[in-house]
């Protein structure tokens, strides 16, 4: 039973069926029957016949028109119908004229194309005829020369000089003409085949690779040149090729815009069998570049940093900037407390153990409206590098010395840093309110280190202050303001920012964070920058009050978010134009630092390697892992660990980093048998579980003193105990007896101290030690006794030694093990 079930197929009345071929992907096609509805066009009959139908009667007959239509309305309708018919007639005439004009244009263009093709064909035939004529002339010249060489040949055998050979030459000319026509026809077919049709576009012909219009034009141009009788070489473009110290062959070809195979072939011709993935030196590459006709521009890898070279600022663009003041001094001399009193804040309450372990950066506005930027540095001996960084980025150093304590080691170190950085110094004599305060002693002690204060007829300002009572704070601020006026500090805020990283840390929620002191220019949100081996885009700026700001000008300390890694404290921040430049500079710096570390750690010769291994045999190592909250603390701890140890034992820091203790750290500690020292950080949950399972010790510290002391104690445990000898007595041999089963027994008199059975003994003859060992027997009369007092006689026999004589002296001593510690 069919689908139609004997019924007629549904269709459109007055339609005509047609087949349409649909094309789909992967070469699939489908034939579809489409019925097209013919439109019925009504054309008015000539002769001005009156319309028939309803309403076609006379206008004045009211019975044959629609109800309610007046004569005027009927007239208007008839006029509108007549105007529409006239308009249709005009449009039809305009269409016919347009079609006629288009047909004439098509005929004209077709005639032009045919004329051009005929002209090209005639030119080609003329060129071919000219070539044939030249070839014929050459053959005739050759025939004449051959005839001259063989004069004895009969004249009848030679062809006439002016008449070509009738048979073969004519046939060859016809064959050449046929080949020319065939080639022209083939070129015409190729040109026509280059046109893109609708079916080709829908079916995705030629393997679904569509040729561009430019490619089609190039193909037609090549075909035309080939038909004209030869290829025209393109003019060679001479390029300036940037050449680094070493370059890959494929990269060299790309920079010259030459084919890689051609470059490899040129290298092989020069005796170098290399592939496209191998690296060649700059001299060889220069020879190849010159061989290809290009110009060489020698560059270095370090040239990537040229984009951040700083230009000199125009003095007209410079404006006043706030001074940067660093507070330095010995630990517990009141540096942070003094800054607290100035800021009216309680910074010291947030520091573990009451000591500063980070560089803090703050801004203070005085009562007079002047803005001051303060850096608070640690005073502990481990934070030497932090104090050095603080002195390098500062304008004025405030040296805090306690009036009741005088000059201490870190005070001397701070003076050295200030002198090395060539910055002016202001001495703040703190704790002046204490009963034991003696400011004159401080001034006198400073003379030993070439610091002469104004009261001692020097140039260094000194102010007596008290952080507790607030005494002298105004005078200190006045002294700072006076010193900053003398320095005439200026900067250009309208340029790319340049700053120094004061501190860096890895925050769990915010990622890598760097505390940056802007030195010149203005850092804005969205700027792209490079800092050391890291780069990034400023995601947020946070000032010392914890508030988000849009920009930071000169002498403003801010926290910068948006880095791709944690930079080193002391790195310089530079703003770049594009992220590609920043990434390239950071990659170059990272590679250079890695090469430098590898060169420093590698032994240059096998003898040095063997010597280092032999020297390390006798040294015991205590491996540890260090994780700290900020980069500066990690650096200070590593430096402190390097100072612990002696010739027998040393501390080796396997890894130091910033951030929480992770499972990777635990795995490294387990493999090396090292404890993990966490400074102001904690282990995450997975790291704690792994450490418990594998027995890795994790210790937490918040004060650097405790960490250094514990590591010293642990390293001291690796020291071998010292053996100390205590002499307890002397005995003189009076007589020697032979005893069966025992051997020689010395009859002795204990002259000094005491003789013990368990003690060690030495036999002295003429004050020379001839034997050292232990006693086999110690008897008093016939009884074995544990010890014999001074002035008593006894019998002694040595273990495995019989050469004893009257007059020898026996020295009796005890050994004691003494535990050693690292100082």
């Amino acid at each position: 039973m069919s689908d139609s079930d004997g019924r007629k197929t549904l269709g459109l009345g007055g339609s005509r069926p047609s087949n349409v071929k649909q094309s789909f992907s992967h070469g699939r096609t489908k034939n579809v029957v489409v019925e097209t509805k013919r439109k019925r066009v009504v054309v008015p009959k000539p002769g001005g016949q009156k319309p028939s139908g309803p309403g076609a009667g006379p206008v004045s007959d009211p019975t044959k028109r629609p109800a309610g239509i007046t004569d005027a309305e009927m007239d208007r309708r008839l006029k509108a119908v007549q105007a529409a018919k006239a308009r249709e007639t005009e449009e039809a005439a305009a269409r016919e004229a347009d079609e006629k004009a288009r047909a004439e244009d098509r005929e004209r263009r077709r005639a032009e194309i045919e004329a051009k093709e005929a002209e090209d064909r005639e030119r080609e035939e003329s060129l071919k005829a000219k070539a044939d004529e030249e070839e014929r002339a050459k053959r005739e010249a050759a025939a004449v020369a051959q005839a001259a060489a063989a004069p004895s040949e009969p004249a009848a055998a030679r062809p006439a000089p002016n008449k070509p050979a009738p048979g073969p030459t004519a046939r060859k000319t016809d064959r050449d003409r046929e080949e020319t026509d065939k080639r022209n026809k083939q070129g015409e077919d190729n040109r026509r085949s280059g046109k893109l049709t609708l079916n080709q576009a829908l079916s995705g012909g030629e393997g679904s690779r569509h040729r561009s219009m430019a490619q089609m034009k190039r193909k037609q141009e090549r075909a035309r040149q080939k038909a004209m009788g030869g290829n025209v070489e393109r003019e060679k473009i001479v390029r300036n090729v940037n050449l680094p110290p070493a370059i890959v062959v494929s990269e060299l070809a790309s920079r010259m815009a030459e084919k890689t195979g051609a470059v490899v072939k040129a290298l092989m011709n020069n005796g170098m069998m290399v592939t496209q993935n191998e690296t060649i030196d700059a001299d060889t590459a220069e020879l190849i570049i010159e061989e290809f006709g290009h110009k060489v521009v020698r560059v270095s890898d370090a040239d990537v940093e040229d984009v951040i070279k700083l230009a000199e600022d125009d003095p007209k663009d410079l404006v006043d900037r706030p001074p940067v003041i660093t507070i330095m001094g010995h630990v517990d001399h009141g540096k942070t407390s003094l800054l607290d009193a100035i800021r009216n804040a309680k910074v010291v309450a947030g520091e573990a153990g009451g000591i500063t372990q980070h560089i803090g950066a703050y801004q203070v506005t005085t009562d007079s409206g002047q803005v001051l930027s303060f850096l608070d540095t640690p005073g502990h001996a481990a934070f030497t590098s932090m104090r050095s960084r603080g002195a390098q980025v500062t304008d004025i150093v405030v040296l805090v010395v306690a009036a009741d304590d005088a000059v201490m080691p870190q005070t001397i170190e701070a003076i050295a840093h200030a002198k090395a950085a060539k910055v002016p110094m202001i001495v703040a004599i703190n704790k002046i309110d204490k009963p034991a305060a003696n400011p004159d002693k401080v001034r006198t002690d400073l003379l030993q280190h070439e610091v002469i204060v104004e009261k001692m007829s020097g140039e260094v300002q000194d102010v007596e202050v008290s952080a507790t009572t607030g005494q002298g704070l105004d005078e200190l601020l006045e002294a700072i303001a006076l010193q900053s006026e003398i320095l005439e500090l200026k900067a250009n805020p309208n340029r790319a920012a340049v700053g120094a990283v004061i501190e860096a840390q890895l925050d769990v929620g915010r990622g890598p964070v760097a505390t940056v002191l802007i030195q010149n220019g203005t850092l804005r949100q969205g700027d792209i920058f490079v800092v050391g081996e890291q780069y990034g885009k400023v995601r947020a700026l946070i000032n010392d009050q914890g508030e988000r700001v849009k920009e930071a000008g000169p002498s403003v300390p801010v926290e910068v978010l948006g880095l791709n890694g944690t930079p080193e404290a002391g790195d310089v921040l530079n703003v770049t134009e594009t992220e590609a430049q920043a990434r390239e500079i950071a990659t170059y710096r990272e590679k250079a630092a890695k090469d430098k570390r590898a060169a420093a750690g590698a032994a240059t010769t096998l003898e040095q390697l063997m010597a280092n291994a032999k020297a390390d045999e006798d040294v015991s190592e205590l491996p540890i892992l260090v994780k700290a909250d900020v980069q500066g603390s990690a650096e200070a701890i590593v430096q402190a660990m390097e100072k612990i140890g002696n010739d027998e034992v040393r501390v080796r820091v396997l890894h130091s980093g910033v951030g929480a203790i992770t499972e990777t750290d635990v795995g490294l500690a387990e493999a090396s048998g090292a404890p993990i020292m966490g400074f102001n950080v904690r282990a995450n949950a997975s790291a704690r579980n792994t450490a418990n399972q594998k027995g890795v010790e994790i210790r937490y510290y918040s004060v650097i003193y405790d960490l250094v002391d514990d590591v010293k104690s642990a390293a001291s445990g690796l020291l071998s105990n010292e053996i100390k000898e205590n002499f307890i007595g002397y005995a003189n041999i009076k007589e020697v007896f032979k005893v069966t089963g025992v051997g020689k027994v010395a009859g002795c008199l204990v002259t000094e101290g005491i003789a013990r059975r368990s003690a060690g003994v030495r036999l002295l003859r003429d004050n020379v030690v001839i034997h050292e060992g232990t006693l086999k027997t110690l008897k008093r009369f016939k009884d074995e006794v544990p010890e014999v007092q001074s002035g008593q006689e006894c019998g002694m026999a040595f273990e495995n030694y019989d050469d004893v004589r009257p007059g020898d002296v026996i020295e009796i001593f005890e050994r004691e093990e003494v535990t050693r510690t690292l100082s």
Side-chain angles (χ1 to χ4, degrees):
M1 189 173 182
S2 64
D3 294 338
S4 61
D5 198 14
R7 288 173 294 193
K8 186 179 178 181
T9 306
L10 181 63
L12 299 172
S15 63
R16 53 187 176 187
S18 62
N19 290 335
V20 175
K21 185 177 181 181
Q22 289 184 327
S23 299
F24 302 95
S25 61
H26 304 291
R28 293 183 291 117
T29 60
K30 181 180 179 182
N31 288 327
V32 181
V33 178
V34 180
E35 293 183 354
T36 307
K37 176 70 174 179
R38 289 199 297 267
K39 184 176 180 181
R40 185 176 181 182
V41 181
V42 179
V43 181
K45 295 180 181 180
Q49 295 180 357
K50 294 182 180 180
S52 61
V59 176
S60 59
D61 190 0
T63 61
K64 293 184 179 181
R65 66 176 126 182
I69 301 297
T70 61
D71 293 342
E73 182 67 26
M74 198 66 190
D75 290 338
R76 281 197 301 272
R77 290 191 179 186
L78 288 174
K79 289 179 180 178
V81 170
Q82 292 172 0
K85 290 178 180 179
R87 191 164 52 251
E88 286 181 359
T89 305
E90 292 175 359
E91 289 177 356
R95 278 197 300 271
E96 289 178 0
D98 193 20
E99 287 291 336
K100 186 177 180 181
R102 279 202 294 268
E104 292 176 355
D105 189 35
R106 280 196 299 270
E107 290 296 331
R108 180 179 53 79
R109 280 188 288 181
R110 186 180 298 110
E112 290 177 357
I113 292 173
E114 290 177 355
K116 187 175 181 181
E117 290 177 354
E119 184 182 352
D120 293 342
R121 202 176 302 115
E122 289 175 0
R123 188 187 303 112
E124 292 167 4
E125 289 177 357
S126 64
L127 290 173
K128 185 66 177 177
K130 185 178 180 181
D132 292 342
E133 188 69 28
E134 292 177 356
E135 184 68 24
R136 191 180 303 111
K138 289 181 181 178
R139 285 199 303 272
E140 290 176 356
V144 170
Q146 186 176 3
S152 60
E153 189 177 349
R158 295 195 299 270
N162 295 329
K163 293 182 180 180
T169 307
R171 284 197 301 272
K172 186 173 182 182
T173 305
D174 295 339
R175 187 167 60 250
D176 292 342
R177 188 177 296 108
E178 290 175 1
E179 289 178 358
T180 303
D181 295 340
K182 184 179 180 180
R183 187 162 56 248
N184 292 337
K185 185 177 180 182
Q186 185 178 1
E188 183 178 356
D189 293 341
N190 288 339
R191 187 176 71 252
R192 293 293 177 88
S193 65
K195 295 181 180 179
L196 186 64
T197 64
L198 184 62
N199 288 334
Q200 288 178 350
L202 293 176
S203 61
E206 298 184 2
S208 299
R209 292 185 61 185
H210 304 295
R211 294 188 175 184
S212 65
M213 187 61 67
Q215 187 177 6
M216 297 302 299
K217 288 181 178 178
R218 288 196 299 269
K219 184 178 178 182
Q220 292 176 359
E221 182 66 24
R222 285 196 297 270
R224 188 178 296 109
Q225 289 178 356
K226 188 174 181 181
M228 293 288 289
N231 294 327
V232 179
E233 291 291 335
R234 289 185 301 170
E235 184 180 355
K236 187 173 183 64
I237 301 174
V238 178
R239 290 179 169 82
N240 293 327
V241 182
N242 292 334
L243 184 60
I247 189 171
V248 180
V249 175
S250 58
E251 176 66 18
L252 177 62
S254 175
R255 295 188 181 188
M256 292 191 298
E258 303 285 351
K259 292 182 179 180
T260 307
V263 177
V264 173
K265 184 177 179 181
L267 287 166
M268 288 182 176
N269 291 337
N270 285 287
M272 291 188 65
M273 301 299 170
V274 296
T275 63
Q276 63 177 359
N277 297 322
E278 293 188 31
T279 304
I280 58 175
D281 61 306
D283 295 334
T284 304
E286 185 174 356
L287 293 175
I288 300 300
I289 293 170
E290 292 175 351
E291 185 175 332
F292 277 90
H294 300 292
K295 296 180 180 179
V296 180
V297 179
R298 288 288 189 114
V299 296
S300 173
D301 290 340
D303 292 344
V304 297
E305 296 198 16
D306 291 345
V307 297
I308 61 173
K309 285 187 176 179
L310 304 179
E312 291 293 331
D313 291 318
D314 192 343
K316 296 182 294 184
D317 299 331
L318 299 179
V319 297
D320 293 335
R321 66 171 177 86
V324 179
I325 303 105
T326 301
I327 298 181
M328 305 175 75
H330 191 69
V331 64
D332 202 26
H333 273 202
K335 299 181 295 297
T336 307
S337 300
L338 184 62
L339 185 57
D340 276 348
I342 297 174
R343 297 180 62 222
N344 295 321
K346 294 295 177 186
V347 178
V348 71
E351 294 286 357
I355 64 170
T356 300
Q357 305 182 110
H358 309 140
I359 287 187
Y362 314 100
Q363 271 201 323
V364 176
T365 303
T366 62
D367 295 336
S368 60
Q370 186 178 11
V371 179
L372 307 176
S373 296
F374 281 96
L375 301 181
D376 184 17
T377 62
H380 187 261
F383 296 98
T384 302
S385 57
M386 281 195 186
R387 281 191 296 278
S388 174
R389 272 199 303 279
Q392 288 170 1
V393 300
T394 191
D395 301 316
I396 302 169
V397 169
V398 174
L399 183 66
V400 179
V401 187
D404 60 344
D405 199 8
V407 176
M408 299 299 285
Q410 271 64 61
T411 311
I412 302 170
E413 187 184 304
I415 294 171
H417 287 318
K419 288 182 177 179
K422 297 180 180 179
V423 292
M425 190 187 312
I426 298 174
V427 178
I429 304 174
N430 196 18
K431 302 184 182 181
I432 199 67
D433 57 316
K434 289 198 172 183
N438 187 359
D440 290 333
K441 183 178 183 303
V442 173
R443 297 184 179 98
T444 305
D445 291 346
L446 289 173
L447 291 173
Q448 302 175 9
H449 306 286
E450 300 179 0
V451 177
I452 307 171
V453 299
E454 289 180 343
K455 198 170 183 179
M456 296 285 186
S457 302
E459 297 180 354
V460 179
Q461 299 183 74
D462 63 314
V463 183
E464 297 180 3
V465 297
S466 172
T468 306
T469 63
Q471 176 186 348
L473 293 182
D474 294 335
E475 288 83 352
L476 178 60
L477 293 176
E478 287 177 5
I480 293 173
L482 176 62
Q483 189 66 57
S484 63
E485 286 179 7
I486 296 172
L487 294 175
E488 295 181 354
L489 304 172
K490 294 182 181 295
N492 179 13
N494 301 317
R495 58 165 295 166
V498 178
V501 177
I502 302 298
E503 196 55 271
Q505 61 181 340
L506 183 63
D507 195 295
V508 176
R510 302 184 296 171
V513 180
T515 302
V516 180
L517 177 69
I518 307 300
Q519 295 173 307
N520 203 358
T522 302
L523 184 65
R524 296 178 176 85
Q525 189 172 342
D527 283 349
I528 298 168
F529 62 91
V530 59
V531 50
E533 301 173 25
Q534 313 297 334
Y535 69 96
K537 184 177 182 179
V538 178
R539 198 171 71 236
L541 296 173
I542 301 173
N543 63 10
D544 60 317
Q545 304 294 330
E547 302 167 350
R548 294 188 67 157
V549 293
K550 294 293 183 182
E551 60 182 29
S555 301
V556 177
V558 286
E559 284 187 340
V560 179
L561 280 68
L563 293 103
N564 71 324
T566 308
E568 297 287 335
D571 287 342
V572 178
L573 180 144
N574 296 100
V575 173
T576 60
E577 294 181 0
T578 63
E579 188 174 352
Q581 289 178 348
R583 188 188 302 110
E584 190 176 6
I585 295 169
T587 304
Y588 163 71
R589 290 178 177 176
E590 184 178 3
K591 181 178 178 296
K594 190 181 296 182
D595 294 344
K596 186 177 180 180
R597 287 193 294 267
T604 54
T605 62
L606 183 62
E607 289 78 7
Q608 289 182 355
L609 190 64
M610 296 294 290
N612 293 339
K614 189 174 182 181
D616 292 342
E617 282 182 359
D618 301 330
V619 180
S620 300
E621 284 188 343
L622 174 64
I624 64 170
L625 270 79
V626 176
K627 293 302 286 287
D629 55 343
V630 294
Q631 190 72 40
S633 297
E635 181 185 4
I637 292 170
V638 171
Q639 290 177 356
M641 296 300 103
E642 291 174 351
K643 296 177 182 178
I644 298 175
N646 53 20
D647 295 338
E648 296 180 35
V649 64
R650 67 185 174 197
V651 178
R652 182 183 176 195
V653 180
L654 296 176
H655 171 68
S656 65
V658 176
I661 299 170
T662 62
E663 202 169 348
T664 306
D665 300 325
V666 175
L668 177 59
E670 185 214 5
S672 55
I676 301 176
M677 305 294 180
F679 187 77
N680 287 334
V681 294
R682 294 293 181 268
N684 54 35
S686 59
R688 284 197 301 271
N689 296 334
T690 307
N692 292 333
Q693 292 172 3
K694 298 183 177 180
V696 175
E697 183 183 11
I698 300 178
R699 291 194 163 197
Y700 302 119
Y701 299 91
S702 58
V703 179
I704 196 169
Y705 295 114
D706 301 335
L707 189 150
V708 174
D709 292 343
D710 283 1
V711 174
K712 272 187 179 180
S713 301
S716 298
L718 297 177
L719 291 172
S720 58
N721 291 334
E722 183 180 358
I723 305 300
K724 186 178 180 182
E725 292 185 354
N726 295 324
F727 295 99
I728 59 174
Y730 288 93
N732 290 335
I733 299 177
K734 299 296 184 181
E735 195 62 53
V736 179
F737 307 96
K738 284 188 177 181
V739 178
T740 304
V742 179
K744 289 185 177 181
V745 176
C748 306
L749 173 65
V750 179
T751 57
E752 185 179 341
I754 190 173
R756 284 200 180 94
R757 171 86 169 75
S758 59
V761 291
R762 291 191 185 94
L763 183 64
L764 306 180
R765 185 173 296 161
D766 297 330
N767 291 324
V768 177
V769 178
I770 60 174
H771 175 68
E772 180 177 344
T774 58
L775 291 178
K776 183 166 62 174
T777 180
L778 176 62
K779 290 190 176 183
R780 175 131 172 89
F781 300 107
K782 293 183 179 181
D783 300 326
E784 191 77 25
V785 293
E787 63 181 32
V788 177
Q789 298 293 331
S790 174
Q792 297 179 351
E793 294 182 348
C794 62
M796 297 183 188
F798 292 90
E799 193 80 41
N800 299 325
Y801 191 77
D802 284 340
D803 185 17
V804 291
R805 301 176 188 176
D808 292 345
V809 177
I810 298 175
E811 186 179 70
I812 307 158
F813 61 91
E814 286 182 342
R815 289 187 176 91
E816 179 185 3
E817 290 188 353
V818 179
T819 303
R820 298 165 60 197
T821 59
L822 290 169
S823 57

